[in-house]
Amino acid sequence: MTDSDDNSPMKRLMELTERAQALSTKVQSHAASTATGQEFAVADAATVGNAFARAWLSMAEHPEDILKFQNEMATKVADAWTRGWLGESEPPKDRRFRDESWNEDQVARAFRDAHLAMEEVASQLADALPEGSKDKLRVQFYTRQMLSALSPSNFLALNPVARQRAIQTEGGSLIDGLENMLEDLERGEGRLDIATNDRDAFTVGEDLGASIGKVVYQNELMQLIQYEPLTETQRKRPMLLVPAWINKFYILDMRPKNSMVRYLLERGHTVFIISWANPTSDHASKGFDSYMKDGPLAALDAIKAATGEDRINVLGFCIGGILVTATLAYLAAKGDKRIASATTLATMIDFTDVGEIGVFIDDNRLKALEVQMADKGYLENHHLQDMFSMIRENDLVWPYHVSNYLMGRKPPAFDLLFWNSDSTRLPAAMVIWYLRKIYLENGLREAGHLSLDGVDIDIAKIKTPMFVLATKEDHIAPWTSIYPTTGLVNGKVKFVLGGSGHIAGVINPPSPRNKYGYWTRDDYPEDHEEWLEGADFTEGSWWPAWADWLEKMDRAKQVPARKPGDGDLKPIEDAPGSFVLAR
């Protein structure tokens, strides 16, 4: 091949240079807007800087501790470097350095070990800061962010795997990496939107969200889908699924092998699901109570029209579970008993400790957010994606930086990450009310603190049986903040702790692999750690245990299978509907 060939490295490099030049104005504009506060950023430099300044002043009161830290860091880093250089260290159990090249390359090994030693000492110092404020959490979080960014795995000169690939491909991997980066910048219009999956690998309605059904009702905020039965008879009580509205509904209807919708249909349930609208400026004034009225309450009315049933089982996932819990309290206040049972998945109702998400949310950030949303009327979807990715930066950010840019590879097809990137905007009124009233003020657990559609709510009045699932490694809804549900509502609660995290732990269908497992216990001491110490572990999926719990409460004789259109609601369009396709 010569440089005159259409796909020659030189020609490709020239084309990429032209693309980079065309993008430079957008990149500079985005950077300037973020730096000046014209563009909202989940990480506020002033807030972070003040947290570190206060931490430094606190440490300065004990200069002997600072000297001790400096000496300890210098000693540990130097010792780690020496041991790495001489090949005397053990390979770490760290996925960033799992390739054998890190052990074989003397320089890379030394940098690796020195960096890990620095991370360890810095973490110990941050942990030693005084308790009782968000400053400590912010210093811990952003110290980890900085050190994760400085990992030698992220630099071509220090990453032996990336260097070897560059040599083997005669520089082709670097050109591919540059092209990948430009594609991400172009997609983000100057913002680096790191691809974590093959965006062309799936088609919603064909590969994902493909269960057969019909949209039987819709309003401004949602479409209601009823699915075709998979059994000749069905249980008397219909099932309503309420997903989160920060992503698309099909997390509960992925591929047939991991579709919760299909699993319920196979168990003989009549299944309805809410598909939320992707808000525009027209939805700016839609608040949390709008989501309640136009979401589960409207769905309850529609399901009765479709099936004739007064008593309905409801499931809520993440913020959808928070909405279900608030709706239960609203209905309890009105003496409405239409919800026969409620299931909540990865749903906090106690926001005393929200984990690392708390570093992004305070009064100052909310005021900045209000200003940013004043014109558009909504929050862009990428802000939440950035926030959740930063919480798991060594899973959702830096591995793709290495693979996409240093190695020049395209991300693989992965259904859960495809769904994760298919997020939605959020209406301004709902975002501000939710973050202030529920996150900052922890109002959901306080009687009368929240009012929905003019009704003061109290979750202690909830007497509906509840199945509450938390997952042990959840970085968005810590299980320790979900467990208090057992003592805050007055209905009978079954609490289950699943393995893995916020998504994989929930979408964990029965399979021969018996992934993750779950913990159960019939009594609920006040302390969550005491509960876990006495809990029984079961291998495999929690889905069958949940389905058994659900079905024990519905002893009525089964009814002929219900098909969309059989009742008073006539089909509007085929599932998955049009709302889910809006980007």
Side-chain angles (χ1 to χ4, degrees):
M1 179 179 292
T2 68
D3 286 351
S4 62
D5 293 323
D6 288 343
N7 292 320
S8 69
M10 184 57 68
K11 183 174 177 60
R12 285 188 65 204
L13 192 56
M14 290 175 63
E15 292 173 347
L16 294 175
T17 301
E18 291 176 2
R19 285 171 63 182
Q21 290 172 343
L23 264 174
S24 61
T25 301
K26 288 185 177 181
V27 173
Q28 292 170 12
S29 176
H30 173 75
S33 297
T34 303
T36 57
Q38 293 176 312
E39 173 74 18
F40 181 75
V42 294
D44 175 48
T47 302
V48 176
N50 289 336
F52 274 90
R54 286 188 289 267
W56 174 255
L57 288 174
S58 174
M59 290 189 295
E61 296 176 1
H62 305 280
E64 67 282 0
D65 291 342
I66 297 177
L67 182 61
K68 178 182 176 182
F69 160 73
Q70 291 174 330
N71 290 335
E72 183 177 358
M73 173 166 281
T75 300
K76 283 195 172 183
V77 171
D79 180 63
W81 173 275
T82 301
R83 290 173 60 81
W85 187 264
L86 297 175
E88 296 176 351
S89 59
E90 292 292 327
K93 294 180 180 179
D94 190 313
R95 59 189 302 178
R96 294 173 294 180
F97 310 109
R98 61 187 172 190
D99 193 278
E100 188 59 33
S101 299
W102 287 97
N103 298 319
E104 297 170 349
D105 187 298
Q106 185 180 45
V107 175
R109 188 174 62 231
F111 271 104
R112 175 199 70 186
D113 292 352
H115 180 79
L116 290 173
M118 187 179 297
E119 284 187 331
E120 180 183 355
V121 178
S123 176
Q124 291 171 353
L125 175 68
D127 290 345
L129 290 171
E131 301 283 353
S133 76
K134 280 190 177 178
D135 284 344
K136 177 174 181 176
L137 184 62
R138 286 195 171 103
V139 170
Q140 288 174 315
F141 180 78
Y142 286 106
T143 297
R144 194 185 80 226
Q145 296 298 314
M146 288 185 284
L147 288 171
S148 293
L150 292 172
S151 170
S153 57
N154 299 331
F155 298 90
L156 178 64
L158 301 178
N159 188 321
V161 190
R163 290 202 314 270
Q164 289 172 11
R165 180 166 171 79
I167 292 170
Q168 291 167 355
T169 61
E170 298 181 338
S173 61
L174 302 183
I175 296 176
D176 291 339
L178 176 59
E179 184 169 19
N180 289 342
M181 180 178 290
L182 290 176
E183 287 178 359
D184 291 350
L185 286 167
E186 287 166 344
R187 186 173 53 255
E189 297 186 336
R191 177 184 64 88
L192 189 62
D193 182 11
I194 302 177
T196 59
N197 66 92
D198 182 350
R199 293 170 185 256
D200 298 321
F202 303 102
T203 300
V204 178
E206 296 179 11
D207 310 296
L208 306 176
S211 292
I212 299 172
K214 302 286 186 182
V215 174
V216 294
Y217 171 84
Q218 70 180 44
N219 56 38
E220 283 186 276
L221 276 178
M222 67 93 165
Q223 290 188 317
L224 184 68
I225 298 169
Q226 180 181 355
Y227 289 98
E228 289 282 346
L230 294 179
T231 53
E232 292 185 1
T233 61
Q234 292 181 318
R235 297 186 178 277
K236 183 174 172 58
R237 291 178 185 166
M239 184 82 198
L240 170 64
L241 306 183
V242 184
W245 56 89
I246 61 176
N247 285 94
K248 305 295 181 67
F249 81 87
Y250 62 87
I251 185 60
L252 299 177
D253 184 33
M254 300 294 279
R255 290 183 283 183
K257 67 178 182 180
N258 60 352
S259 167
M260 183 175 284
V261 166
R262 185 176 182 85
Y263 179 77
L264 287 168
L265 291 170
E266 290 173 344
R267 298 272 307 214
H269 293 268
T270 306
V271 181
F272 294 80
I273 196 167
I274 288 176
S275 173
W276 296 107
N278 194 353
T280 66
S281 56
D282 293 338
H283 297 85
S285 62
K286 295 293 184 182
F288 191 87
D289 52 357
S290 299
Y291 274 82
M292 178 186 72
K293 290 185 293 181
D294 290 345
L297 292 184
L300 291 177
D301 291 338
I303 291 170
K304 181 177 181 180
T307 65
E309 294 298 328
D310 290 313
R311 300 277 283 164
I312 297 166
N313 298 317
V314 178
L315 173 147
F317 183 15
C318 189
I319 193 174
I322 294 173
L323 180 62
V324 165
T325 304
T327 302
L328 288 171
Y330 172 85
L331 293 176
K334 296 176 72 68
D336 189 323
K337 298 182 180 180
R338 281 181 287 172
I339 296 181
S341 76
T343 299
T344 60
L345 311 177
T347 298
M348 291 190 292
I349 63 172
D350 178 10
F351 289 76
T352 303
D353 179 12
V354 298
E356 291 187 330
I357 288 180
V359 306
F360 302 108
I361 303 170
D362 59 21
D363 283 325
N364 290 333
R365 286 284 79 200
L366 255 61
K367 291 174 183 176
L369 191 56
E370 283 185 285
V371 171
Q372 294 298 324
M373 292 192 297
D375 291 332
K376 291 182 178 179
Y378 56 81
L379 179 67
E380 292 281 8
N381 54 4
H382 65 78
H383 292 305
L384 287 179
Q385 283 184 307
D386 291 346
M387 182 174 69
F388 295 142
S389 294
M390 286 177 69
I391 293 172
R392 293 179 54 200
E393 77 281 3
N394 284 324
D395 291 322
L396 297 175
V397 178
W398 296 112
Y400 296 99
H401 164 86
V402 174
S403 179
N404 297 4
Y405 307 149
L406 301 189
M407 308 288 286
R409 295 192 173 110
K410 294 289 187 183
F414 185 15
D415 54 359
L416 292 182
L417 286 178
F418 179 93
W419 165 85
N420 187 60
S421 67
D422 189 14
S423 54
T424 62
R425 297 175 291 272
L426 298 175
M430 188 283 300
V431 170
I432 296 301
W433 188 93
Y434 174 75
L435 292 179
R436 185 174 301 284
K437 292 295 185 180
I438 293 184
Y439 250 88
L440 290 183
E441 298 177 7
N442 200 10
L444 191 57
R445 64 167 293 164
E446 302 297 331
H449 188 88
L450 301 182
S451 178
L452 294 175
D453 197 28
V455 176
D456 292 341
I457 66 169
D458 178 5
I459 62 173
K461 293 181 179 179
I462 296 174
K463 296 182 179 179
T464 305
M466 295 184 69
F467 184 102
V468 176
L469 176 87
T471 53
K472 202 165 187 286
E473 299 170 21
D474 196 331
H475 63 294
I476 295 173
W479 81 270
T480 54
S481 295
I482 297 174
Y483 180 79
T485 307
T486 58
L488 291 174
V489 300
N490 277 314
K492 189 173 182 180
V493 176
K494 181 173 181 63
F495 178 82
V496 174
L497 179 62
S500 194
H502 191 74
I503 302 301
V506 172
I507 309 304
N508 180 28
S511 72
R513 294 175 61 188
N514 277 336
K515 291 197 298 183
Y516 308 135
Y518 60 95
W519 290 263
T520 55
R521 179 173 167 177
D522 291 335
D523 64 315
Y524 303 105
E526 184 175 348
D527 182 73
H528 58 269
E529 292 296 344
E530 181 182 345
W531 178 88
L532 183 58
E533 287 176 4
D536 296 321
F537 179 77
T538 303
E539 290 186 351
S541 170
W542 58 269
W543 289 15
W546 165 58
D548 290 344
W549 174 87
L550 196 64
E551 290 156 13
K552 283 178 182 177
M553 290 183 292
D554 186 5
R555 300 288 192 181
K557 184 178 179 181
Q558 293 200 15
V559 299
R562 306 173 176 116
K563 295 183 178 181
D566 282 351
D568 292 339
L569 296 182
K570 299 308 175 186
I572 298 171
E573 60 181 332
D574 290 340
S578 54
F579 281 21
V580 74
L581 302 179
R583 289 202 168 213

